């Protein structure tokens, strides 16, 4: 795993998982716009995070089919950092050390008990076979789905930020990146990237199912079809607070 990680020819990569959003999805006006902030580009803004406090609605009049595949966009900055280069040297040195230790271990097998030798041999062979079978299975699944991957290599961070901004401007797409779920350029949910299945199995993970957070409604919310269950409770709370404040001011004014 370490060898595969340090063998990547790019230190800085930004991955976006893109899927088509279902018809009839709307977000409330208070959804934070994912864009560059003062003194930082859009990549820094995404890393800092956005507070996803919006409400997402899904019209029950539109047919919805859950998607099982997505489109990958990988933006890489050309070159590697000095730390990355040093990790490559350490990885190669550790490979030589492990090979030397293994050779010495099996060369002196006559001085060891048979049970210990068999246990070590079984662990090494099983790990190698399991890793090879897993890699073949992932490759076969990718060939079945034929999910496209777009890889862009840019000379610097500024160009990478420009590419991300252009992608976020596209409408009707659900974009997953750095733990954010982005719809129409607005962040609608934030979660830990380590809890996402795509971090471990990549293309084999299904796109984010927006119905998990969407509230079913009747009609178009832009035409007043949000329904009483979306903002009704909030308006009722505001009215109650206003009535309480007026009742408390009354005696003092008297």
């Amino acid at each position: 795993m370490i060898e595969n990680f340090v063998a990547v020819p790019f230190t800085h990569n930004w991955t976006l998982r893109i899927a088509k959003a279902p018809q009839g999805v709307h977000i409330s006006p208070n959804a934070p716009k994912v864009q560059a902030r003062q003194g930082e580009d859009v990549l820094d803004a995404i890393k800092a995070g956005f507070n996803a406090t919006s409400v997402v609605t899904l019209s029950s009049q539109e047919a919805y089919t859950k998607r099982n595949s997505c489109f990958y966009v990988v933006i890489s900055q050309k070159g590697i950092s000095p730390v990355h280069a040093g990790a490559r040297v350490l990885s190669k040195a550790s490979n030589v050390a492990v090979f030397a230790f293994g050779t010495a271990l099996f060369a002196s097998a006559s001085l060891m008990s048979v049970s210990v030798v068999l246990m070590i041999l079984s662990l090494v062979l099983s790990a190698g076979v399991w890793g090879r079978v897993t890699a073949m299975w992932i490759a076969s699944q990718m060939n079945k789905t034929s999910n496209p991957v777009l890889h862009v290599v840019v000379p610097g961070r500024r160009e990478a930020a420009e590419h991300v901004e252009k992608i976020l401007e596209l409408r009707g797409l659900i974009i997953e990146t750095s733990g954010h779920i982005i719809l129409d350029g607005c962040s609608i949910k934030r979660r830990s990237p380590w809890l996402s299945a795509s971090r471990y199995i990549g293309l084999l993970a299904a796109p984010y199912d927006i119905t998990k957070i969407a509230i079913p409604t009747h009609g178009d919310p832009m035409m007043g079809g949000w329904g009483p269950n979306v903002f009704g409770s909030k308006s009722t709370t505001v009215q109650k607070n206003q009535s309480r404040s007026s009742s408390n001011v009354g005696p003092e004014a008297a």
Side-chain angles (χ1 to χ4, degrees):
M1 293 178 63
I2 298 177
E3 177 68 20
N4 293 335
F5 176 76
V6 299
V8 176
F10 309 104
T11 300
H12 302 289
N13 298 277
W14 296 272
T15 303
L16 292 84
R17 288 167 48 89
I18 303 175
K20 187 176 181 180
Q23 298 291 332
V25 175
H26 300 276
I27 55 179
S28 57
N30 64 336
K33 188 74 174 178
V34 181
Q35 57 187 358
R37 299 169 177 170
Q38 184 177 5
E40 59 183 13
D41 56 24
V42 67
L43 300 177
D44 292 330
I46 292 176
K47 184 178 180 180
F50 295 86
N51 294 325
T53 58
S54 60
V55 177
V56 182
T57 63
L58 178 61
S59 176
S60 59
Q61 300 178 357
E62 298 287 345
Y64 171 69
T65 302
K66 183 179 179 181
R67 299 183 181 274
N68 296 321
S69 60
C70 61
F71 182 83
Y72 257 69
V73 176
V74 181
I75 303 175
S76 302
Q77 182 178 342
K78 186 182 299 183
I80 61 175
S81 64
V83 177
H84 194 164
R88 284 186 175 182
V89 176
L90 293 177
S91 177
K92 297 297 183 182
S94 63
N95 289 342
V96 174
V98 170
F99 177 77
F101 174 77
T103 303
L105 181 64
F106 284 101
S108 60
S110 59
L111 303 178
M112 301 175 59
S113 61
V114 178
S115 59
V116 175
V117 174
L118 291 177
M119 181 185 67
I120 296 176
L121 182 62
S122 301
L123 293 176
V124 173
L125 291 179
S126 60
V129 172
W130 177 255
R132 178 61 61 181
V133 171
T134 304
M136 294 175 61
W137 176 73
I138 293 177
S140 64
Q141 293 297 320
M142 291 177 61
N143 292 331
K144 289 180 180 179
T145 55
S146 299
N147 293 327
V149 178
L150 176 62
H151 187 201
V152 181
V153 181
V154 295
R157 183 183 180 90
R158 180 175 61 84
E159 290 79 6
E162 292 177 355
H163 279 74
V164 173
E165 287 180 346
K166 293 297 183 182
I167 295 174
L168 294 178
E169 292 176 358
L170 301 176
R171 314 295 293 180
L173 297 178
I174 301 175
I175 302 174
E176 303 175 46
T177 180
S178 301
H180 285 280
I181 310 298
I182 303 172
L183 174 63
D184 292 341
C186 298
S187 178
I188 59 174
K189 183 175 177 58
R190 184 181 180 185
R191 59 181 180 178
S192 174
W194 298 97
L195 301 179
S196 176
S198 60
R199 190 173 187 93
Y200 308 100
I201 59 179
L203 280 170
L204 300 181
Y208 181 78
D209 187 6
I210 199 173
T211 58
K212 294 180 179 180
I213 60 174
I215 301 175
T217 60
H218 300 283
D220 189 350
M222 304 304 296
M223 301 299 294
W226 286 91
N229 295 328
V230 180
F231 292 128
S233 58
K234 295 183 179 180
S235 60
T236 303
T237 304
V238 172
Q239 292 176 359
K240 289 182 179 180
N241 293 335
Q242 291 178 349
S243 61
R244 290 177 181 177
S245 60
S246 61
S247 61
N248 293 332
V249 172
E252 294 179 358

